[in-house]
Every structure is written in C-alpha cells, then in structure tokens.
Amino acid sequence: MSRPISPHLTWYKPQITSVLSIMHRFTGIALAAGALALAWWVVAVAIGGEVFTGTTAVYTSVIGQIVLALWTLALAFHMSNGIRHLCWDAGWGFQMRQVRSSGWLTLAMTVILTALVWVFVLLV
Amino acid sequence: MSERDTKDDDDKEEGKGHSGQESGASKETKQQGKDAKQSGQKDNDASSDKDGNQDKEASNKDDDSDHSSRKDAGNKDDDGSDGNDDDSGGSDDDDVIKVARTPTDPSLLSQLKHSQQFRHAKGLGSGRTGAAIWSVQRLTALALIPLAIWFAVSVVLLTHASHTDAVHWLASPVRAVLLALFIVIALRHAVIGLTIILEDYVRGYALRTACVLVLKGAALVIAAAVIAALIHLTFA
Ligand code: HEM
C-alpha cells in the first residue's frame, strides 16, 4: 500500500499554527544533534589534551559559533513551544484565538531568550 | 498525536499487526494481525452507529476476546456482529490485535488493562505502550524546562573557559549530577520524539524497527559515555 503516512510538508496556506508545529519537529531533531555535541564536549573535557583543544577550536570557530547560535535559537523555540504544548495537554488554551496568540507569544519568547543568552555570551 | 494514529492505520493496512518498537513480531502474529484487521473492520462497520469515543478506544486497546467484559460490550451492540468474539477465546490468538469494540466504561477498561492478554500484548511494543510513553514524553519535557535553563546559564558563564576551568566546573558533584540528569533526560525525551518521527516517515516494518534500535543503542552509548566521563572528572 502506498498511501501517504503523514502530511509531510504538503501544506495548505502556511499559518502560524502549522508553521510552529513543523518547527517544533525540526528543532527537536536539531536539539538531538546538539545533545550529541554537548555529550562530546563533556567527554572531551574528561579526555583533555589535544582532544579538548581541538573540540574547543571547532566550537569557537565561526561556523561553530553560528551552529551554537542556531542551537540556542532551537532550544529557546522548542522550550517555549514545548511549554505551549504542555499547557494544551493540561487542557488550557484550545480556543483558536488563544492558539494563535500563544503562537506569537512563543515566537516572542524565542527571540527574547536567544537574545538574552547571546548578549551575555558576547558581553561577559 | 495525529501522527501516531496515522501510523497505526498504516500498520493495519499492511497487515502487520504490532509494529513493535523493539521486539519483532513473529510471522504468525503478522498473519494473525491480517486476519484481525479484516474481522476488526467488519466489527467497526457493524457498530459504527455507536458513539464517537469508540474510534479512539478501539485503535488503542486490545480486543480481549475471552474477557467477560468484552462479551458484555458485544451484547449491548445488538447487531449480531459478536460472532467474532467466540472464535479465539483461550487459544494462542490471544495476543492478536483486533480492532473492535472496547468497553468505554472506565472500570471495564481498567479491568481490561489488568487482563493477562493485555500484559502479554504489552511486551510487543507500540500500540500497547502509547499512553505510558506519552506521559514519559510530557514528564521529561517538564523536567527539561528548569534543567535547560540551568544549562543555558552555565554555558554562558563558561564561554571563555580554559580546560582547567571546565574540569573544575564539571568536578563538582552537584553540577555533575545536574548535567548527567540533563543529558539522560534529554536523551530519553529525544528518543521518544525521534521514534515518533521515524514511525511517521520510515516505511516498512523491518527498516523502521532497525532505525529505532539504532537510535536507542546510540542514546545508550552517549548516556554511558557522558556518565563515565563525569565520574572520571569527579573522582579524578
Ligand atoms: C527544554 C525543554 C523542553 C520542552 C518543554 C520540550 C517539550 C516537548 C513536547 C511537549 C513535545 C511533544 C510535542 C508533540 O506532542 O508533538 C516534544 C517533542 C520533541 N522534543 Fe522536546 N522539549 C524540550 C527539550 C528537548 C530537547 C533538549 C530535545 C533534544 C535533545 C528535544 C527533542 C524533542 C523531539 C525530537 C521531539 C519530537 C518532535 C515531534 O514529534 O515532532 N526536546 N518536546
């Protein structure tokens, strides 16, 4: 049987609801990759020596910093939207109006949290 | 959530019965799954005039055919479709998925959950464990909120850390425990999430099961490596 098994990306008109929903999935995958990077960092600290220096070099390179910035963005979004999900699971915020406004709130939180982290990283 | 339902449909359509996340369903089971699907459909058609709740229940729960509550539910139906209930009682058809009427009465449902057949079927993975996994996904999400905030703040403070700083930071037992919790809980959360994604997009029972196993294996290795590293750093 070759029926479609999931809606995949065949969207109707992009809407705040559908866009945030697929972004939750993308950021979840990105965070899983980020967890790998974090785990490696801990192991690299334990090994020390060249392994640690090499890891630091990669993580502080321009590309490394861009990836880390995107990872912060992903974490901020996934956490904010995850809290939105948990509210839904508790039965709160199901009205269409609320779903949309909590969606915009999620985006605002994402920007604020990411900015907060990076302002400190660049200033401290 | 809807993704999971779609997946279940897919499995039934392919006649594969249980799409176990971890254990392989035997050929026998698959064949029986196909039969079950056919009789299940019949049942659904016959009783489709019942209330809407049923669809949800029916797709998640076992048809526990020799359980007394099943028969009760069948009789309420008064449409003569409970012929299916009688063919399998006690035989090794027990752990077959049958999509059929499930009592919607909560007390009957909890009886069903404690039945032998249900626990048997549970070992077969997805389709039986969905509700529990769903809760674990929410609980890990909840735990990750404070842990992620703590972690983000820590990373900010460690931005320009030398190796000595990093070792010193990780060598504190409290931080080591928090970091281990963060990584282990995040991995658990991610394995559930990624499994759902794999189940949505990977076609074919064998390939899907292989992907999930690789995912779980990888998560286990990562968790073990991090914990080993933290123990090394804390006691060094
Ligand atoms: C920081 C706090 C976090 C919260 C509050 C949170 C919340 C959630 C929730 C509620 C879901 C279920 C969404 C649904 O039902 O569709 C989910 C899915 C997921 N999460 Fe998280 N999460 C967090 C952190 C993480 C982290 C650190 C990772 C990766 C290591 C991660 C990876 C995933 C993945 C892969 C999914 C599956 C996405 C999907 O099914 O489309 N999450 N998260």
Side-chain angles (χ1 to χ4, degrees):
Chain A
M1 282 286 175
S2 52
R3 297 190 313 153
I5 49 175
S6 197
H8 294 271
L9 297 180
T10 48
W11 289 345
Y12 308 86
K13 178 175 162 235
Q15 295 161 66
I16 178 88
T17 44
S18 59
V19 172
L20 293 203
S21 170
I22 194 61
M23 272 170 64
H24 196 77
R25 179 156 282 197
F26 282 147
T27 53
I29 296 170
L31 288 177
L36 199 65
L38 167 62
W40 175 253
W41 183 78
V42 176
V43 171
V45 174
I47 298 173
E50 272 173 28
V51 175
F52 180 80
T53 333
T55 303
T56 309
V58 173
Y59 286 14
T60 53
S61 69
V62 174
I63 294 177
Q65 293 287 294
I66 292 173
V67 172
L68 284 181
L70 289 176
W71 195 73
T72 325
L73 199 63
L75 182 63
F77 174 82
H78 192 93
M79 188 175 84
S80 308
N81 201 48
I83 293 172
R84 184 166 168 250
H85 262 283
L86 293 172
C87 290
W88 288 336
D89 294 336
W92 186 85
F94 267 124
Q95 237 127 51
M96 245 4 255
R97 267 177 51 119
Q98 294 171 313
V99 171
R100 289 202 195 90
S101 53
S102 64
W104 290 110
L105 187 65
T106 288
L107 287 180
M109 285 295 290
T110 305
V111 173
I112 293 170
L113 289 176
T114 311
L116 214 62
V117 168
W118 281 85
V119 163
F120 275 102
V121 166
L122 297 176
L123 292 186
V124 170
Chain B
M1 297 304 293
S2 64
E3 285 108 0
R4 275 170 234 178
D5 295 342
T6 319
K7 178 215 53 178
D8 284 342
D9 284 351
D10 175 40
D11 290 326
K12 276 170 232 139
E13 209 56 70
E14 291 173 6
K16 276 172 182 160
H18 310 288
S19 72
Q21 281 179 13
E22 33 222 293
S23 58
S26 69
K27 247 187 196 157
E28 220 175 34
T29 315
K30 285 182 197 167
Q31 189 50 48
Q32 289 167 347
K34 195 176 251 166
D35 299 338
K37 167 215 157 196
Q38 282 152 6
S39 54
Q41 274 182 348
K42 235 187 283 165
D43 273 4
N44 268 349
D45 294 342
S47 57
S48 59
D49 52 336
K50 281 178 69 185
D51 65 56
N53 284 342
Q54 175 189 332
D55 290 349
K56 202 169 125 211
E57 308 285 357
S59 64
N60 290 330
K61 300 292 184 255
D62 215 14
D63 176 13
D64 181 12
S65 46
D66 71 350
H67 194 284
S68 59
S69 62
R70 303 282 331 129
K71 298 233 165 95
D72 293 349
N75 293 337
K76 271 183 223 149
D77 238 21
D78 70 284
D79 57 17
S81 69
D82 43 346
N84 289 307
D85 282 348
D86 299 322
D87 57 12
S88 58
S91 75
D92 40 2
D93 277 358
D94 282 351
D95 47 2
V96 157
I97 291 188
K98 289 189 182 172
V99 179
R101 286 148 292 144
T102 300
T104 44
D105 179 325
S107 68
L108 291 180
L109 212 57
S110 85
Q111 259 183 293
L112 174 65
K113 275 186 192 152
H114 291 97
S115 75
Q116 183 68 31
Q117 287 83 359
F118 183 83
R119 273 180 279 128
H120 254 280
K122 249 186 119 166
L124 290 170
S126 111
R128 293 296 165 282
T129 50
I133 298 241
W134 187 90
S135 324
V136 175
Q137 178 79 332
R138 311 299 124 167
L139 286 174
T140 51
L142 219 52
L144 282 172
I145 298 171
L147 286 170
I149 293 173
W150 165 80
F151 173 71
V153 171
S154 308
V155 169
V156 168
L157 298 176
L158 274 174
T159 304
H160 303 293
S162 67
H163 185 243
T164 332
D165 295 335
V167 168
H168 181 75
W169 189 81
L170 285 175
S172 141
V174 174
R175 291 186 198 119
V177 167
L178 282 175
L179 193 61
L181 279 177
F182 178 57
I183 293 182
V184 168
I185 295 176
L187 285 173
R188 183 76 189 96
H189 179 87
V191 165
I192 297 172
L194 294 174
T195 301
I196 293 168
I197 296 175
L198 289 172
E199 286 170 346
D200 278 349
Y201 299 121
V202 180
R203 308 300 306 260
Y205 177 79
L207 184 60
R208 186 161 55 215
T209 308
C211 288
V212 173
L213 283 177
V214 168
L215 176 65
K216 287 191 169 175
L220 216 58
V221 170
I222 296 169
V226 167
I227 289 171
L230 288 173
I231 289 175
H232 175 81
L233 285 163
T234 314
F235 294 104

